[in-house]
Amino acid sequence: MRLFEFEAKELFRELGIPTPVGQTIKCAEEVFSIPAKSFPKTLKTQVLSGGRGKAGGIKFADNQEDAYHKAQAIFKLPIKGELPKTILVEPKVTIKKEIYLAILIDRAYRGPILMASAEGGIEIETSENIQIVPVPGANYSNFYARELAAKVGLHGIQLIKFAAIVDKLWQVWTKFDCDLAEINPLIIDGDDNFIALDGKVTLNEDSTGRHPRFAGQLVNHLSDLGDREFRGKMCGLNIVELEGNIGILCNGAGLTMATMDLVLHKGGKPSNFLDVGGGANKDHVKRALDLVSSSDDVKVLLVNILGGITACDEVAAALAYYKEIRPDAKMVVRLVGNNEDKAKAIMDKAGIPMTNILEKAVEEAVSLAAKA
Amino acid sequence: MAVLINKNTNVIVQGITGTMGGTHARLMKAYGTNIVAGVTPGKGGQDFEGIPVFDTVYETTKHFRVDCSVIFVPPYYALDAALEAIEAGIPLISVITEGLPPQDAVKLHAAAKANGTLVNGPNCPGIITPGECLIGIHPGSIYKPGKIGLISRSGTLTYEIGLGLKQADIGISTAIGIGGDPIIGIDQIKSLELFQNDPETEMIILVGEIGGSAEEEAAEYIKSHVRKPVIGYVAGVTAPPGKRMGHAGAIIAGNKGTAKSKREAFEAANVKVADTPYEIIDLVKQELAILA
């Protein structure tokens, strides 16, 4: 769960990382409650998508009137389709130096790494100037931070102060079960103070259940998702939207990806990735069917279930129900494995053809979609 | 012979009285696995369909030689359960649990490394040596005993391939479902090493997917260490960047982790790469013909 910048900075301040002293506004008129003497200010759109600076979501304002017009514009400016509900208003700061700092889990090290670059404010994925210090077994100590500081060329008091910030970011990362805790840029101001000018925190979604303060928060942090992806998330279905016309419903992530790939291999275009997971019952599959077919782009539904823990007859029952309410829907069904015989009986009764050969099902779905 | 588990492996089930643990303890036992005991704290002294239940893992080791523990406890308790098994000296642990917090996974694998414990998973279907021993949730009937080693990050895709092989009358020595999480114990390289050293395994199928660089690292390992034929497959050619495709580990970040890069790495290591799951079966047949 990706947090908004203002929320990330709240967590930073809680654990002692300095940030600019800002406030959030929910409408442009609110800028008039900000003391006129405190200007100039920075207005920052609060969205989850990246690239907001380039897209015009960050503006400077010299006075209230200026801020009012700029805030109006920012509230109306979608960033990658996402409109802000909040603007963060902060004082402008003097920047002597910008640094990139992040803590995340790296698969290759099987543990967390500290990552920094002497160039802050950069696109970290494309930067070549990144220094990494792994923290084996997550047994953190301050020397890892000092090592990192030295690697990015900090000396003297700056090295010590930087390491102290890393200590605190480490606390954020562990305390809240983060996937990522990032400060970009971490700046050194005119008085040699380190300040988190921006903050990006992604909480691990499998872990939020053990942090009561984030209970019920997920729904407010999905503004970067498409409609079907959002609805799927709300009922525990993992769906990813694509641009084709063959709706895919499958069980297991690997098999779902392989099915998508097969559709493409046979000349078709998958409209989505939907993994109903293991052990799905009839009602869960019904919701999944609704979700897949709720897009007008979907011309054919391809169902591929390999029953291990999942019982094929549960899936068949959901398909029979779906056929009743949507008799015209084009469906190609492959069911194999656990309770396949019971499923066959249900499908025969409902008049839905089924196969147990994957290649055949995919070929048929592709050919039906081509005719639609 | 096979790798990791065989007909002599003594297995305990942690979380045996839970829904998942109970269901699969029953299925494993029916398959022929020696389930010697179960563990559920607070339920020691009971029995689960003839399997004695203990409060602690340590107690089971006083009564039996325990070779392996299969863990079915809920995500927030799985680290504790795994640490208990490691501390009790059990050499192989399979964590079936899905949704283990990554920071717990880091601690689990650090403890396993310090103690020399092999950990399979988390978030995996387990391991099967067909006809001898099943640990985890693989549908046993889908596999036929034979001489192909199968390594896969996915559950149902592994079953798909096992089933395809069986329909072609080809069997496997052992199937290792290594798990779909970013941080796993027994990985592709460890599995390759095990199969390379197993005299009964003639060929290896390596089923990868997008995300991370495990396939690229496995390809390097194959170049220098593996002398047996390897057939590769990578799921997720059509996956868009930045989207998590079900598995926490299946995500293309920046330009890293793409199916293309993995396929190229496999090809450079002389791994025959299949375009589709059923093409794997064709490639296996061709290789078997060459070996014969």
Side-chain angles (χ1 to χ4, degrees), chain A residues 107 110 173 206 251 261 334, chain B residues 76 156 160 184 236 238 249:
Chain A
R107 314 159 184 247
R110 286 210 170 89
W173 189 78
D206 286 329
N251 67 328
D261 293 350
R334 186 261 187 151
Chain B
Y76 298 162
T156 44
E160 182 79 51
I184 53 167
T238 44

Side-chain angles (χ1 to χ4, degrees), chain B residues 164-184:
Chain B
L165 288 169
K166 189 182 174 187
Q167 283 164 350
D169 206 30
I170 299 167
I172 60 165
S173 53
T174 301
I176 311 175
I178 60 174
D181 276 5
I183 297 186
I184 53 167

Side-chain angles (χ1 to χ4, degrees), chain A residues 4-173:
Chain A
F4 292 102
E5 176 193 3
F6 72 95
E7 297 171 316
K9 284 177 166 171
E10 276 167 26
L11 300 185
F12 288 175
R13 283 192 295 273
E14 228 176 277
L15 291 170
I17 300 172
T19 72
V21 184
Q23 67 181 96
T24 54
I25 59 169
K26 297 280 185 194
C27 64
E29 286 72 11
E30 253 191 278
V31 300
F32 295 110
S33 69
I34 300 170
K37 274 192 267 179
S38 67
F39 280 82
K41 295 279 193 190
T42 310
L43 307 181
K44 304 172 89 177
T45 190
Q46 298 294 292
V47 291
L48 299 175
S49 312
R52 62 180 178 166
K54 271 183 205 150
I58 300 174
K59 292 190 187 310
F60 300 104
D62 292 328
N63 53 51
Q64 284 181 335
E65 201 58 36
D66 189 23
Y68 174 62
H69 293 296
K70 284 178 175 155
Q72 275 185 324
I74 290 174
F75 275 120
K76 282 183 208 144
L77 177 75
I79 310 289
K80 291 178 188 158
E82 182 189 355
L83 276 173
K85 291 198 173 78
T86 308
I87 292 175
L88 177 62
V89 183
E90 288 184 338
K92 275 183 83 174
V93 289
T94 336
I95 299 173
K96 206 159 90 180
K97 187 175 173 60
E98 291 185 88
I99 299 167
Y100 173 95
L101 172 64
I103 302 173
L104 65 155
I105 284 187
D106 186 276
R107 314 159 184 247
Y109 290 108
R110 286 210 170 89
I113 56 170
L114 312 177
M115 207 159 92
S117 166
E119 320 156 39
I122 43 152
E123 292 267 343
I124 203 67
E125 288 88 351
T126 52
S127 171
E128 297 194 344
N129 218 345
I130 296 169
Q131 300 297 331
I132 286 172
V133 173
V135 182
N139 281 318
Y140 179 80
S141 190
N142 185 263
F143 79 86
Y144 291 114
R146 300 196 303 272
E147 229 172 85
L148 184 68
K151 279 186 158 185
V152 295
L154 295 172
H155 306 282
I157 189 71
Q158 286 191 349
L159 178 140
I160 303 294
K161 281 188 173 178
F162 173 83
I165 296 279
V166 179
D167 273 6
K168 288 165 187 162
L169 192 64
W170 177 266
Q171 287 172 30
V172 170
W173 189 78

Side-chain angles (χ1 to χ4, degrees), chain B residues 71-92:
Chain B
I71 295 178
F72 283 102
V73 308
Y76 298 162
Y77 305 95
L79 170 63
D80 179 66
L83 292 177
E84 186 186 359
I86 292 170
E87 196 56 41
I90 295 176
L92 173 65

Side-chain angles (χ1 to χ4, degrees), chain B residues 8-11 34 36 60-68:
Chain B
N8 299 318
T9 304
N10 282 349
V11 177
N34 306 325
V36 295
T60 68
T61 64
K62 293 293 116 195
H63 292 81
F64 306 98
R65 184 196 82 235
V66 180
D67 304 307
C68 169

Side-chain angles (χ1 to χ4, degrees), chain B residues 237-267:
Chain B
V237 178
T238 44
K243 297 278 188 183
R244 171 177 155 172
M245 307 303 281
H247 285 153
I251 182 165
I252 297 171
N255 52 8
K256 291 201 183 120
T258 63
K260 187 168 174 276
S261 131
K262 293 171 187 300
R263 286 188 59 123
E264 284 168 4
F266 278 165
E267 279 159 4

